[in-house]
Amino acid sequence: VLFGGHTLYGLASDVWSLSLTDPSNWQQLTPDPSPTVVQRYGHTGIFDPVRHELVTFGGHKATWVFGHDFSGIANGGRTNEVCRMDLGASPSWRLANTPALQSYSVAFDPVARDVLMFSGLRAALRSSIEYDGDLHAMRLSDADPHWTTVLTSGAMPSPRNGHQAVWDGTRDRMLVFGGVYAVNLNDLWEYRPRPAPTWTQLLPAGSPPLPRQGFGMVLDADRDRLLIFGGIAGYPSGNPANDLWE
């Protein structure tokens, strides 16, 4: 399911689903117009299989222009909305609030039914960059889901943005890789929520991918491997890349 984003013609708020059967095909969804969910980009989302909902978080409602100062726009153009869309026969949106961040990572813990949001930018204006280095959780099984800051043990990853996170169900953990904090990063971390919330840095054998931000990352559960593709790779700031790592 695809929602919104930045197109050649500006920001979008349309919703599309892709059938993965053969042959695959796209279909536009038309949710109930109330409440209105306005166009945005830089948001993230997960699928809640219990409630059959698309749940998206935050993002940017103002069109980004490099070097532009958004200080005259509320929250620098960022939104803290949680948008939940029922994907049933009559799609409809519900709204709540989330930490007002951008360029954060999101993963879904299906055991606790927690949405896990890690780090990101509180502000990215011409005059300053302010990071959020916390881990936030929202339990979707609550009658009124809300965000809490998770208190963890162990050394934490540095604050960052442009990183990615995935949930490793086999080992009951979240994996976080890369991003940028002054310079591009290529460190790999695991967060285990049980029995006690704990961060641990992982040091896999072999040469790691170049430090990078803005890349794609998925977990191939069938083959038990992490796949990383592209992004802005290199040190300190990097260049566009099309390499694939596992």
Side-chain angles (χ1 to χ4, degrees):
V1 180
L2 176 70
F3 164 63
H6 205 309
T7 75
L8 292 174
Y9 308 103
L11 301 187
S13 62
D14 47 348
V15 184
W16 294 78
S17 68
L18 175 66
S19 169
L20 298 180
T21 57
D22 189 16
S24 58
N25 63 86
W26 285 101
Q27 178 183 3
Q28 185 170 4
L29 304 181
T30 307
D32 189 290
S34 180
T36 299
V37 175
V38 302
Q39 62 270 20
R40 68 199 61 206
Y41 76 102
H43 52 291
T44 59
I46 58 99
F47 173 67
D48 179 359
V50 175
R51 293 185 177 175
H52 199 62
E53 288 182 335
L54 169 67
V55 187
T56 69
F57 314 93
H60 222 280
K61 292 182 178 179
T63 301
W64 173 257
V65 178
F66 182 77
H68 181 70
D69 188 344
F70 286 108
S71 57
I73 305 174
N75 291 321
R78 289 168 290 117
T79 176
N80 66 344
E81 290 176 340
V82 177
C83 305
R84 302 169 60 184
M85 189 176 77
D86 179 0
L87 295 174
S90 301
S92 60
W93 288 107
R94 288 186 292 164
L95 302 181
N97 288 324
T98 186
L101 304 176
Q102 64 185 83
S103 299
Y104 47 85
S105 66
V106 165
F108 182 55
D109 172 358
V111 177
R113 297 197 63 223
D114 282 347
V115 179
L116 301 171
M117 176 188 292
F118 172 63
S119 200
L121 294 176
R122 290 196 186 100
L125 310 181
R126 184 168 56 193
S127 57
S128 66
I129 295 178
E130 181 182 350
Y131 287 89
D132 179 298
D134 292 330
L135 176 65
H136 306 278
M138 181 173 68
R139 183 150 296 176
L140 296 182
S141 59
D142 289 348
D144 181 22
H146 60 279
W147 290 98
T148 59
T149 300
V150 180
L151 301 179
T152 62
S153 61
M156 287 187 64
S158 63
R160 63 194 62 206
N161 68 286
H163 54 293
Q164 291 283 2
V166 297
W167 182 259
D168 178 3
T170 301
R171 298 169 184 83
D172 197 37
R173 65 182 180 177
M174 176 175 71
L175 297 173
V176 174
F177 177 80
V180 58
Y181 182 56
V183 296
N184 282 345
L185 305 169
N186 66 345
D187 49 348
L188 177 66
W189 292 79
E190 70 169 18
Y191 165 72
R192 292 184 180 266
R194 290 168 286 275
T198 305
W199 284 103
T200 304
Q201 185 172 5
L202 303 179
L203 300 171
S207 299
L210 286 173
R212 65 191 60 212
Q213 59 177 302
F215 51 92
M217 186 170 82
V218 297
L219 182 73
D220 180 352
D222 290 340
R223 299 183 179 180
D224 197 26
R225 62 181 181 174
L226 189 67
L227 298 172
I228 294 169
F229 173 71
I232 306 298
Y235 183 90
S237 56
N239 295 293
N242 65 351
D243 49 346
L244 177 65
W245 292 78
E246 67 175 20

